[in-house]
Amino acid sequence: VQSKFYSPDARRAEKVHELFAQIARRYDFLNDVMSAGLHRRWKNRLVELADARPDQKILDLCCGTGDLACRFQAGAGVIGVDFTEEMLKIAKVRAKNARFLQADALALPFRDDIFDVVSVGYGLRNLADLERGLREIHRVLRRGGKFLSLDFGKPESPALRKLYFSYLRTVLPLLGRIYCGDPDTHGYILASLQEFPAQRGTKLLMEKIGFVRCGFEEFCGGAMAINFGEKS
Ligand SMILES: C[S@@+](CC[C@H](N)C(=O)[O-])C[C@H]1O[C@@H](n2cnc3c(N)ncnc32)[C@H](O)[C@@H]1O
């Protein structure tokens, strides 16, 4: 599966940046179309699992247009971080409960042990180096702090996996063509999913790095999942 926005080499981050700069204006609308609005429910579930108190410090990484950041309780100290200016511009207008910062998730401009919660919505799959990203998250979390990530998963059932991959292979490029004038913008999702270890591999990697109480919650038979864990 190919997309001009997926480059498994040194240009990975540059291409991801290019993609999100191009689709920023259509991003939220297309999430509703692709998931029939279900992504809202999954994001709300992540916020529920985070169970953050209003006085806690939350980092929403790869925050994009702020669609996850804005779901945390008003008053919670939320900082959204993303490297795409076009996405952040939208976030700054819509999410009044949060502050936003342009930075690279692989080299966070924060001290060790400061956040109570780190959340990521559809971000891990886009990182050029997943292990390095998870290590950065672990570094900035305080002891006992929680990490939660929502992303596309890989269903265990072969029949469901086939159906789901054929949806990603056929319907999504069509939506990309219709709404963004380019099938590759949404063909990217399947391309990026191929190398991504999804819910089971992410859990193993988190355990290797030192997260504890790791697990995941699945939706739609594992086509979507929330990974979670804590810093011991
Ligand atoms: C699919 S969007 C997710 C937006 C939002 N979190 C949501 O749930 O709707 C992925 C975002 O990750 C950002 N991103 C990818 N790699 C990044 C990196 N290394 N550092 C910071 N942001 C990154 C992209 O710019 C993009 O806005």
Side-chain angles (χ1 to χ4, degrees), residues 13 16-17 20 27-28 31 39 43 60-68 81-84 87 103-106 120-123 125-128 150:
V16 167
H17 184 273
F20 288 102
Y27 178 76
D28 291 299
N31 276 351
H39 74 104
K43 285 173 178 162
D60 184 40
L61 209 51
C62 300
C63 65
T65 58
D67 194 42
L68 182 55
V81 165
D82 200 286
F83 69 9
T84 308
M87 298 288 271
D104 187 347
L106 302 186
V120 186
Y122 300 106
R125 185 176 33 86
N126 296 303
L127 297 180
L150 167 66

PDB file of all heavy atoms in Angstrom, residues 13 16-17 20 27-28 31 39 43 60-68 81-84 87 103-106 120-123 125-128 150, ligand 1:
ATOM      1  N   ALA A  13       9.049  12.209   9.001  1.00  0.00           N
ATOM      2  CA  ALA A  13       8.444  13.330   9.729  1.00  0.00           C
ATOM      3  C   ALA A  13       8.072  14.475   8.784  1.00  0.00           C
ATOM      4  O   ALA A  13       6.996  15.062   8.895  1.00  0.00           O
ATOM      5  CB  ALA A  13       9.390  13.824  10.817  1.00  0.00           C
ATOM      6  N   VAL A  16       4.874  13.572   7.004  1.00  0.00           N
ATOM      7  CA  VAL A  16       3.715  13.631   7.914  1.00  0.00           C
ATOM      8  C   VAL A  16       3.329  15.097   8.130  1.00  0.00           C
ATOM      9  O   VAL A  16       2.144  15.460   8.074  1.00  0.00           O
ATOM     10  CB  VAL A  16       4.055  12.940   9.266  1.00  0.00           C
ATOM     11  CG1 VAL A  16       3.011  13.248  10.319  1.00  0.00           C
ATOM     12  CG2 VAL A  16       4.166  11.433   9.067  1.00  0.00           C
ATOM     13  N   HIS A  17       4.314  15.926   8.306  1.00  0.00           N
ATOM     14  CA  HIS A  17       4.080  17.360   8.482  1.00  0.00           C
ATOM     15  C   HIS A  17       3.372  17.936   7.248  1.00  0.00           C
ATOM     16  O   HIS A  17       2.389  18.675   7.352  1.00  0.00           O
ATOM     17  CB  HIS A  17       5.427  18.040   8.724  1.00  0.00           C
ATOM     18  CG  HIS A  17       5.313  19.493   9.003  1.00  0.00           C
ATOM     19  ND1 HIS A  17       5.290  20.432   8.008  1.00  0.00           N
ATOM     20  CD2 HIS A  17       5.177  20.165  10.165  1.00  0.00           C
ATOM     21  CE1 HIS A  17       5.158  21.628   8.551  1.00  0.00           C
ATOM     22  NE2 HIS A  17       5.084  21.494   9.853  1.00  0.00           N
ATOM     23  N   PHE A  20      -0.403  16.838   7.176  1.00  0.00           N
ATOM     24  CA  PHE A  20      -1.338  17.511   8.083  1.00  0.00           C
ATOM     25  C   PHE A  20      -1.458  19.004   7.781  1.00  0.00           C
ATOM     26  O   PHE A  20      -2.515  19.591   8.006  1.00  0.00           O
ATOM     27  CB  PHE A  20      -0.997  17.200   9.539  1.00  0.00           C
ATOM     28  CG  PHE A  20      -1.358  15.781   9.880  1.00  0.00           C
ATOM     29  CD1 PHE A  20      -0.391  14.793   9.958  1.00  0.00           C
ATOM     30  CD2 PHE A  20      -2.686  15.422  10.038  1.00  0.00           C
ATOM     31  CE1 PHE A  20      -0.732  13.469  10.217  1.00  0.00           C
ATOM     32  CE2 PHE A  20      -3.041  14.097  10.288  1.00  0.00           C
ATOM     33  CZ  PHE A  20      -2.063  13.125  10.381  1.00  0.00           C
ATOM     34  N   TYR A  27      -9.717  18.312   8.443  1.00  0.00           N
ATOM     35  CA  TYR A  27      -9.379  17.202   9.328  1.00  0.00           C
ATOM     36  C   TYR A  27     -10.550  16.735  10.203  1.00  0.00           C
ATOM     37  O   TYR A  27     -10.915  15.558  10.196  1.00  0.00           O
ATOM     38  CB  TYR A  27      -8.160  17.570  10.190  1.00  0.00           C
ATOM     39  CG  TYR A  27      -7.807  16.472  11.148  1.00  0.00           C
ATOM     40  CD1 TYR A  27      -7.159  15.326  10.701  1.00  0.00           C
ATOM     41  CD2 TYR A  27      -8.184  16.538  12.475  1.00  0.00           C
ATOM     42  CE1 TYR A  27      -6.879  14.288  11.566  1.00  0.00           C
ATOM     43  CE2 TYR A  27      -7.908  15.502  13.348  1.00  0.00           C
ATOM     44  CZ  TYR A  27      -7.257  14.377  12.888  1.00  0.00           C
ATOM     45  OH  TYR A  27      -7.006  13.341  13.738  1.00  0.00           O
ATOM     46  N   ASP A  28     -11.167  17.660  10.923  1.00  0.00           N
ATOM     47  CA  ASP A  28     -12.216  17.248  11.879  1.00  0.00           C
ATOM     48  C   ASP A  28     -13.465  16.739  11.160  1.00  0.00           C
ATOM     49  O   ASP A  28     -14.068  15.754  11.576  1.00  0.00           O
ATOM     50  CB  ASP A  28     -12.553  18.418  12.809  1.00  0.00           C
ATOM     51  CG  ASP A  28     -11.388  18.707  13.734  1.00  0.00           C
ATOM     52  OD1 ASP A  28     -11.014  17.816  14.504  1.00  0.00           O
ATOM     53  OD2 ASP A  28     -10.831  19.815  13.646  1.00  0.00           O
ATOM     54  N   ASN A  31     -12.902  13.220  10.025  1.00  0.00           N
ATOM     55  CA  ASN A  31     -12.939  12.243  11.125  1.00  0.00           C
ATOM     56  C   ASN A  31     -14.374  11.817  11.394  1.00  0.00           C
ATOM     57  O   ASN A  31     -14.653  10.640  11.652  1.00  0.00           O
ATOM     58  CB  ASN A  31     -12.347  12.841  12.398  1.00  0.00           C
ATOM     59  CG  ASN A  31     -10.838  12.731  12.420  1.00  0.00           C
ATOM     60  OD1 ASN A  31     -10.251  12.069  11.567  1.00  0.00           O
ATOM     61  ND2 ASN A  31     -10.215  13.395  13.368  1.00  0.00           N
ATOM     62  N   HIS A  39     -15.551   8.533  16.529  1.00  0.00           N
ATOM     63  CA  HIS A  39     -14.279   8.970  17.147  1.00  0.00           C
ATOM     64  C   HIS A  39     -14.539   9.854  18.357  1.00  0.00           C
ATOM     65  O   HIS A  39     -13.753   9.894  19.293  1.00  0.00           O
ATOM     66  CB  HIS A  39     -13.390   9.694  16.122  1.00  0.00           C
ATOM     67  CG  HIS A  39     -13.855  11.074  15.770  1.00  0.00           C
ATOM     68  ND1 HIS A  39     -13.248  12.206  16.254  1.00  0.00           N
ATOM     69  CD2 HIS A  39     -14.894  11.495  15.018  1.00  0.00           C
ATOM     70  CE1 HIS A  39     -13.881  13.274  15.790  1.00  0.00           C
ATOM     71  NE2 HIS A  39     -14.872  12.868  15.046  1.00  0.00           N
ATOM     72  N   LYS A  43     -12.851   9.216  21.968  1.00  0.00           N
ATOM     73  CA  LYS A  43     -12.057  10.273  22.627  1.00  0.00           C
ATOM     74  C   LYS A  43     -12.625  10.564  24.020  1.00  0.00           C
ATOM     75  O   LYS A  43     -11.868  10.747  24.980  1.00  0.00           O
ATOM     76  CB  LYS A  43     -12.034  11.538  21.762  1.00  0.00           C
ATOM     77  CG  LYS A  43     -11.101  11.404  20.562  1.00  0.00           C
ATOM     78  CD  LYS A  43     -11.207  12.575  19.604  1.00  0.00           C
ATOM     79  CE  LYS A  43     -10.219  12.405  18.453  1.00  0.00           C
ATOM     80  NZ  LYS A  43     -10.528  13.233  17.297  1.00  0.00           N
ATOM     81  N   ASP A  60      -1.350  16.973  26.019  1.00  0.00           N
ATOM     82  CA  ASP A  60      -1.974  16.282  24.886  1.00  0.00           C
ATOM     83  C   ASP A  60      -1.001  16.384  23.712  1.00  0.00           C
ATOM     84  O   ASP A  60      -0.827  17.445  23.123  1.00  0.00           O
ATOM     85  CB  ASP A  60      -3.334  16.895  24.544  1.00  0.00           C
ATOM     86  CG  ASP A  60      -4.021  16.104  23.441  1.00  0.00           C
ATOM     87  OD1 ASP A  60      -3.939  14.855  23.458  1.00  0.00           O
ATOM     88  OD2 ASP A  60      -4.621  16.729  22.539  1.00  0.00           O
ATOM     89  N   LEU A  61      -0.407  15.248  23.417  1.00  0.00           N
ATOM     90  CA  LEU A  61       0.666  15.204  22.430  1.00  0.00           C
ATOM     91  C   LEU A  61       0.098  14.907  21.043  1.00  0.00           C
ATOM     92  O   LEU A  61      -0.869  14.158  20.924  1.00  0.00           O
ATOM     93  CB  LEU A  61       1.613  14.074  22.858  1.00  0.00           C
ATOM     94  CG  LEU A  61       3.071  14.192  22.492  1.00  0.00           C
ATOM     95  CD1 LEU A  61       3.647  15.517  22.905  1.00  0.00           C
ATOM     96  CD2 LEU A  61       3.841  13.050  23.125  1.00  0.00           C
ATOM     97  N   CYS A  62       0.721  15.478  20.006  1.00  0.00           N
ATOM     98  CA  CYS A  62       0.203  15.347  18.638  1.00  0.00           C
ATOM     99  C   CYS A  62      -1.247  15.822  18.640  1.00  0.00           C
ATOM    100  O   CYS A  62      -2.139  15.155  18.099  1.00  0.00           O
ATOM    101  CB  CYS A  62       0.306  13.904  18.130  1.00  0.00           C
ATOM    102  SG  CYS A  62       1.987  13.288  18.093  1.00  0.00           S
ATOM    103  N   CYS A  63      -1.467  16.977  19.253  1.00  0.00           N
ATOM    104  CA  CYS A  63      -2.827  17.442  19.561  1.00  0.00           C
ATOM    105  C   CYS A  63      -3.601  17.863  18.325  1.00  0.00           C
ATOM    106  O   CYS A  63      -4.827  17.964  18.376  1.00  0.00           O
ATOM    107  CB  CYS A  63      -2.763  18.603  20.543  1.00  0.00           C
ATOM    108  SG  CYS A  63      -1.950  20.056  19.835  1.00  0.00           S
ATOM    109  N   GLY A  64      -2.922  18.148  17.214  1.00  0.00           N
ATOM    110  CA  GLY A  64      -3.613  18.532  15.990  1.00  0.00           C
ATOM    111  C   GLY A  64      -4.504  19.739  16.209  1.00  0.00           C
ATOM    112  O   GLY A  64      -4.082  20.772  16.752  1.00  0.00           O
ATOM    113  N   THR A  65      -5.776  19.614  15.849  1.00  0.00           N
ATOM    114  CA  THR A  65      -6.734  20.728  15.946  1.00  0.00           C
ATOM    115  C   THR A  65      -7.319  20.850  17.357  1.00  0.00           C
ATOM    116  O   THR A  65      -8.288  21.586  17.549  1.00  0.00           O
ATOM    117  CB  THR A  65      -7.875  20.508  14.953  1.00  0.00           C
ATOM    118  OG1 THR A  65      -8.487  19.244  15.269  1.00  0.00           O
ATOM    119  CG2 THR A  65      -7.401  20.477  13.511  1.00  0.00           C
ATOM    120  N   GLY A  66      -6.805  20.100  18.301  1.00  0.00           N
ATOM    121  CA  GLY A  66      -7.251  20.223  19.697  1.00  0.00           C
ATOM    122  C   GLY A  66      -8.517  19.444  20.014  1.00  0.00           C
ATOM    123  O   GLY A  66      -9.140  19.664  21.052  1.00  0.00           O
ATOM    124  N   ASP A  67      -8.883  18.505  19.158  1.00  0.00           N
ATOM    125  CA  ASP A  67     -10.155  17.796  19.331  1.00  0.00           C
ATOM    126  C   ASP A  67     -10.181  16.911  20.577  1.00  0.00           C
ATOM    127  O   ASP A  67     -11.249  16.663  21.137  1.00  0.00           O
ATOM    128  CB  ASP A  67     -10.439  16.947  18.081  1.00  0.00           C
ATOM    129  CG  ASP A  67     -11.876  16.474  18.050  1.00  0.00           C
ATOM    130  OD1 ASP A  67     -12.768  17.291  18.386  1.00  0.00           O
ATOM    131  OD2 ASP A  67     -12.118  15.300  17.723  1.00  0.00           O
ATOM    132  N   LEU A  68      -9.015  16.440  21.008  1.00  0.00           N
ATOM    133  CA  LEU A  68      -8.960  15.660  22.251  1.00  0.00           C
ATOM    134  C   LEU A  68      -8.721  16.609  23.431  1.00  0.00           C
ATOM    135  O   LEU A  68      -9.400  16.522  24.462  1.00  0.00           O
ATOM    136  CB  LEU A  68      -7.852  14.600  22.140  1.00  0.00           C
ATOM    137  CG  LEU A  68      -7.653  13.656  23.318  1.00  0.00           C
ATOM    138  CD1 LEU A  68      -8.952  12.945  23.685  1.00  0.00           C
ATOM    139  CD2 LEU A  68      -6.578  12.619  22.982  1.00  0.00           C
ATOM    140  N   VAL A  81       0.575  19.883  22.263  1.00  0.00           N
ATOM    141  CA  VAL A  81       1.821  19.995  21.496  1.00  0.00           C
ATOM    142  C   VAL A  81       1.659  19.322  20.137  1.00  0.00           C
ATOM    143  O   VAL A  81       1.138  18.211  20.036  1.00  0.00           O
ATOM    144  CB  VAL A  81       2.996  19.341  22.270  1.00  0.00           C
ATOM    145  CG1 VAL A  81       4.195  19.110  21.365  1.00  0.00           C
ATOM    146  CG2 VAL A  81       3.414  20.208  23.447  1.00  0.00           C
ATOM    147  N   ASP A  82       2.106  20.019  19.110  1.00  0.00           N
ATOM    148  CA  ASP A  82       2.063  19.450  17.755  1.00  0.00           C
ATOM    149  C   ASP A  82       3.140  20.159  16.935  1.00  0.00           C
ATOM    150  O   ASP A  82       3.525  21.273  17.255  1.00  0.00           O
ATOM    151  CB  ASP A  82       0.688  19.700  17.118  1.00  0.00           C
ATOM    152  CG  ASP A  82       0.401  18.749  15.968  1.00  0.00           C
ATOM    153  OD1 ASP A  82       0.988  18.927  14.869  1.00  0.00           O
ATOM    154  OD2 ASP A  82      -0.403  17.798  16.163  1.00  0.00           O
ATOM    155  N   PHE A  83       3.613  19.502  15.878  1.00  0.00           N
ATOM    156  CA  PHE A  83       4.625  20.191  15.065  1.00  0.00           C
ATOM    157  C   PHE A  83       4.053  20.835  13.808  1.00  0.00           C
ATOM    158  O   PHE A  83       4.807  21.421  13.034  1.00  0.00           O
ATOM    159  CB  PHE A  83       5.858  19.315  14.801  1.00  0.00           C
ATOM    160  CG  PHE A  83       5.721  18.107  13.895  1.00  0.00           C
ATOM    161  CD1 PHE A  83       4.587  17.857  13.143  1.00  0.00           C
ATOM    162  CD2 PHE A  83       6.793  17.208  13.782  1.00  0.00           C
ATOM    163  CE1 PHE A  83       4.500  16.749  12.308  1.00  0.00           C
ATOM    164  CE2 PHE A  83       6.728  16.106  12.952  1.00  0.00           C
ATOM    165  CZ  PHE A  83       5.568  15.877  12.219  1.00  0.00           C
ATOM    166  N   THR A  84       2.739  20.749  13.591  1.00  0.00           N
ATOM    167  CA  THR A  84       2.151  21.337  12.376  1.00  0.00           C
ATOM    168  C   THR A  84       1.383  22.619  12.700  1.00  0.00           C
ATOM    169  O   THR A  84       0.318  22.573  13.331  1.00  0.00           O
ATOM    170  CB  THR A  84       1.222  20.321  11.676  1.00  0.00           C
ATOM    171  OG1 THR A  84       1.946  19.103  11.484  1.00  0.00           O
ATOM    172  CG2 THR A  84       0.742  20.839  10.334  1.00  0.00           C
ATOM    173  N   MET A  87      -2.432  22.939  11.891  1.00  0.00           N
ATOM    174  CA  MET A  87      -3.347  22.248  12.814  1.00  0.00           C
ATOM    175  C   MET A  87      -3.483  23.075  14.106  1.00  0.00           C
ATOM    176  O   MET A  87      -4.584  23.271  14.628  1.00  0.00           O
ATOM    177  CB  MET A  87      -2.823  20.850  13.158  1.00  0.00           C
ATOM    178  CG  MET A  87      -2.700  19.894  11.974  1.00  0.00           C
ATOM    179  SD  MET A  87      -4.281  19.290  11.336  1.00  0.00           S
ATOM    180  CE  MET A  87      -4.541  17.830  12.330  1.00  0.00           C
ATOM    181  N   ALA A 103       6.018  21.959  18.818  1.00  0.00           N
ATOM    182  CA  ALA A 103       7.241  21.244  19.199  1.00  0.00           C
ATOM    183  C   ALA A 103       7.181  19.820  18.656  1.00  0.00           C
ATOM    184  O   ALA A 103       6.123  19.334  18.241  1.00  0.00           O
ATOM    185  CB  ALA A 103       7.388  21.215  20.721  1.00  0.00           C
ATOM    186  N   ASP A 104       8.340  19.173  18.684  1.00  0.00           N
ATOM    187  CA  ASP A 104       8.460  17.800  18.195  1.00  0.00           C
ATOM    188  C   ASP A 104       8.259  16.816  19.349  1.00  0.00           C
ATOM    189  O   ASP A 104       8.937  16.929  20.380  1.00  0.00           O
ATOM    190  CB  ASP A 104       9.855  17.620  17.576  1.00  0.00           C
ATOM    191  CG  ASP A 104      10.017  16.281  16.884  1.00  0.00           C
ATOM    192  OD1 ASP A 104       9.169  15.381  17.081  1.00  0.00           O
ATOM    193  OD2 ASP A 104      11.010  16.123  16.152  1.00  0.00           O
ATOM    194  N   ALA A 105       7.353  15.875  19.153  1.00  0.00           N
ATOM    195  CA  ALA A 105       7.074  14.877  20.189  1.00  0.00           C
ATOM    196  C   ALA A 105       8.304  14.027  20.509  1.00  0.00           C
ATOM    197  O   ALA A 105       8.370  13.399  21.572  1.00  0.00           O
ATOM    198  CB  ALA A 105       5.932  13.974  19.726  1.00  0.00           C
ATOM    199  N   LEU A 106       9.266  13.994  19.620  1.00  0.00           N
ATOM    200  CA  LEU A 106      10.453  13.164  19.838  1.00  0.00           C
ATOM    201  C   LEU A 106      11.549  13.908  20.605  1.00  0.00           C
ATOM    202  O   LEU A 106      12.584  13.319  20.940  1.00  0.00           O
ATOM    203  CB  LEU A 106      11.010  12.656  18.501  1.00  0.00           C
ATOM    204  CG  LEU A 106      10.029  11.831  17.653  1.00  0.00           C
ATOM    205  CD1 LEU A 106      10.734  11.272  16.427  1.00  0.00           C
ATOM    206  CD2 LEU A 106       9.413  10.699  18.472  1.00  0.00           C
ATOM    207  N   VAL A 120      -2.618  10.958  23.868  1.00  0.00           N
ATOM    208  CA  VAL A 120      -2.298  11.062  22.436  1.00  0.00           C
ATOM    209  C   VAL A 120      -3.495  10.515  21.658  1.00  0.00           C
ATOM    210  O   VAL A 120      -3.940   9.393  21.915  1.00  0.00           O
ATOM    211  CB  VAL A 120      -1.043  10.231  22.043  1.00  0.00           C
ATOM    212  CG1 VAL A 120      -0.682  10.492  20.584  1.00  0.00           C
ATOM    213  CG2 VAL A 120       0.150  10.542  22.916  1.00  0.00           C
ATOM    214  N   GLY A 121      -4.007  11.304  20.724  1.00  0.00           N
ATOM    215  CA  GLY A 121      -5.085  10.812  19.859  1.00  0.00           C
ATOM    216  C   GLY A 121      -4.552  10.677  18.448  1.00  0.00           C
ATOM    217  O   GLY A 121      -4.162  11.679  17.828  1.00  0.00           O
ATOM    218  N   TYR A 122      -4.522   9.477  17.947  1.00  0.00           N
ATOM    219  CA  TYR A 122      -4.092   9.209  16.571  1.00  0.00           C
ATOM    220  C   TYR A 122      -2.729   9.827  16.260  1.00  0.00           C
ATOM    221  O   TYR A 122      -2.527  10.361  15.162  1.00  0.00           O
ATOM    222  CB  TYR A 122      -5.151   9.715  15.576  1.00  0.00           C
ATOM    223  CG  TYR A 122      -6.486   9.046  15.791  1.00  0.00           C
ATOM    224  CD1 TYR A 122      -7.549   9.733  16.384  1.00  0.00           C
ATOM    225  CD2 TYR A 122      -6.670   7.715  15.450  1.00  0.00           C
ATOM    226  CE1 TYR A 122      -8.760   9.109  16.626  1.00  0.00           C
ATOM    227  CE2 TYR A 122      -7.872   7.079  15.684  1.00  0.00           C
ATOM    228  CZ  TYR A 122      -8.906   7.785  16.274  1.00  0.00           C
ATOM    229  OH  TYR A 122     -10.101   7.155  16.514  1.00  0.00           O
ATOM    230  N   GLY A 123      -1.833   9.742  17.234  1.00  0.00           N
ATOM    231  CA  GLY A 123      -0.522  10.364  17.060  1.00  0.00           C
ATOM    232  C   GLY A 123       0.614   9.360  16.984  1.00  0.00           C
ATOM    233  O   GLY A 123       1.509   9.486  16.141  1.00  0.00           O
ATOM    234  N   ARG A 125       1.032   6.465  15.799  1.00  0.00           N
ATOM    235  CA  ARG A 125       1.219   5.832  14.478  1.00  0.00           C
ATOM    236  C   ARG A 125       1.984   6.731  13.504  1.00  0.00           C
ATOM    237  O   ARG A 125       2.558   6.263  12.521  1.00  0.00           O
ATOM    238  CB  ARG A 125      -0.168   5.480  13.927  1.00  0.00           C
ATOM    239  CG  ARG A 125      -0.239   4.710  12.640  1.00  0.00           C
ATOM    240  CD  ARG A 125      -1.703   4.384  12.331  1.00  0.00           C
ATOM    241  NE  ARG A 125      -2.595   5.419  12.804  1.00  0.00           N
ATOM    242  CZ  ARG A 125      -2.917   6.516  12.114  1.00  0.00           C
ATOM    243  NH1 ARG A 125      -2.464   6.682  10.904  1.00  0.00           N
ATOM    244  NH2 ARG A 125      -3.720   7.432  12.641  1.00  0.00           N
ATOM    245  N   ASN A 126       1.969   8.026  13.784  1.00  0.00           N
ATOM    246  CA  ASN A 126       2.612   8.976  12.871  1.00  0.00           C
ATOM    247  C   ASN A 126       4.051   9.306  13.236  1.00  0.00           C
ATOM    248  O   ASN A 126       4.714  10.036  12.507  1.00  0.00           O
ATOM    249  CB  ASN A 126       1.803  10.282  12.857  1.00  0.00           C
ATOM    250  CG  ASN A 126       0.419  10.055  12.297  1.00  0.00           C
ATOM    251  OD1 ASN A 126       0.293   9.584  11.183  1.00  0.00           O
ATOM    252  ND2 ASN A 126      -0.608  10.361  13.067  1.00  0.00           N
ATOM    253  N   LEU A 127       4.516   8.792  14.366  1.00  0.00           N
ATOM    254  CA  LEU A 127       5.865   9.159  14.798  1.00  0.00           C
ATOM    255  C   LEU A 127       6.929   8.434  13.982  1.00  0.00           C
ATOM    256  O   LEU A 127       6.795   7.249  13.686  1.00  0.00           O
ATOM    257  CB  LEU A 127       6.058   8.833  16.287  1.00  0.00           C
ATOM    258  CG  LEU A 127       5.157   9.596  17.259  1.00  0.00           C
ATOM    259  CD1 LEU A 127       5.446   9.171  18.694  1.00  0.00           C
ATOM    260  CD2 LEU A 127       5.321  11.107  17.097  1.00  0.00           C
ATOM    261  N   ALA A 128       7.993   9.151  13.679  1.00  0.00           N
ATOM    262  CA  ALA A 128       9.080   8.555  12.901  1.00  0.00           C
ATOM    263  C   ALA A 128       9.805   7.484  13.718  1.00  0.00           C
ATOM    264  O   ALA A 128      10.385   6.561  13.158  1.00  0.00           O
ATOM    265  CB  ALA A 128      10.054   9.654  12.474  1.00  0.00           C
ATOM    266  N   LEU A 150      -5.112   6.778  21.932  1.00  0.00           N
ATOM    267  CA  LEU A 150      -6.156   6.214  21.055  1.00  0.00           C
ATOM    268  C   LEU A 150      -5.601   6.156  19.641  1.00  0.00           C
ATOM    269  O   LEU A 150      -5.027   7.129  19.160  1.00  0.00           O
ATOM    270  CB  LEU A 150      -7.385   7.136  21.086  1.00  0.00           C
ATOM    271  CG  LEU A 150      -8.456   6.907  20.016  1.00  0.00           C
ATOM    272  CD1 LEU A 150      -9.156   5.558  20.190  1.00  0.00           C
ATOM    273  CD2 LEU A 150      -9.493   8.042  20.060  1.00  0.00           C
TER     274      LEU A 150
HETATM  275  C1  LIG B   1      -4.010  12.338  13.116  1.00  0.00           C
HETATM  276  S1  LIG B   1      -3.567  13.865  13.839  1.00  0.00           S
HETATM  277  C2  LIG B   1      -4.248  13.754  15.443  1.00  0.00           C
HETATM  278  C3  LIG B   1      -4.926  15.011  15.946  1.00  0.00           C
HETATM  279  C4  LIG B   1      -5.678  14.891  17.256  1.00  0.00           C
HETATM  280  N1  LIG B   1      -4.845  14.369  18.315  1.00  0.00           N
HETATM  281  C5  LIG B   1      -6.913  14.051  17.162  1.00  0.00           C
HETATM  282  O1  LIG B   1      -7.051  13.102  17.926  1.00  0.00           O
HETATM  283  O2  LIG B   1      -7.780  14.317  16.326  1.00  0.00           O
HETATM  284  C6  LIG B   1      -1.862  13.556  14.111  1.00  0.00           C
HETATM  285  C7  LIG B   1      -1.085  14.809  14.507  1.00  0.00           C
HETATM  286  O3  LIG B   1       0.225  14.400  14.939  1.00  0.00           O
HETATM  287  C8  LIG B   1       1.117  15.437  14.605  1.00  0.00           C
HETATM  288  N2  LIG B   1       2.480  14.894  14.663  1.00  0.00           N
HETATM  289  C9  LIG B   1       2.974  13.832  13.989  1.00  0.00           C
HETATM  290  N3  LIG B   1       4.262  13.625  14.325  1.00  0.00           N
HETATM  291  C10 LIG B   1       4.579  14.562  15.239  1.00  0.00           C
HETATM  292  C11 LIG B   1       5.754  14.864  15.964  1.00  0.00           C
HETATM  293  N4  LIG B   1       6.885  14.156  15.808  1.00  0.00           N
HETATM  294  N5  LIG B   1       5.730  15.885  16.836  1.00  0.00           N
HETATM  295  C12 LIG B   1       4.615  16.629  17.008  1.00  0.00           C
HETATM  296  N6  LIG B   1       3.456  16.403  16.329  1.00  0.00           N
HETATM  297  C13 LIG B   1       3.445  15.384  15.451  1.00  0.00           C
HETATM  298  C14 LIG B   1       0.651  15.900  13.243  1.00  0.00           C
HETATM  299  O4  LIG B   1       1.103  17.199  12.955  1.00  0.00           O
HETATM  300  C15 LIG B   1      -0.873  15.826  13.393  1.00  0.00           C
HETATM  301  O5  LIG B   1      -1.425  17.065  13.749  1.00  0.00           O
END
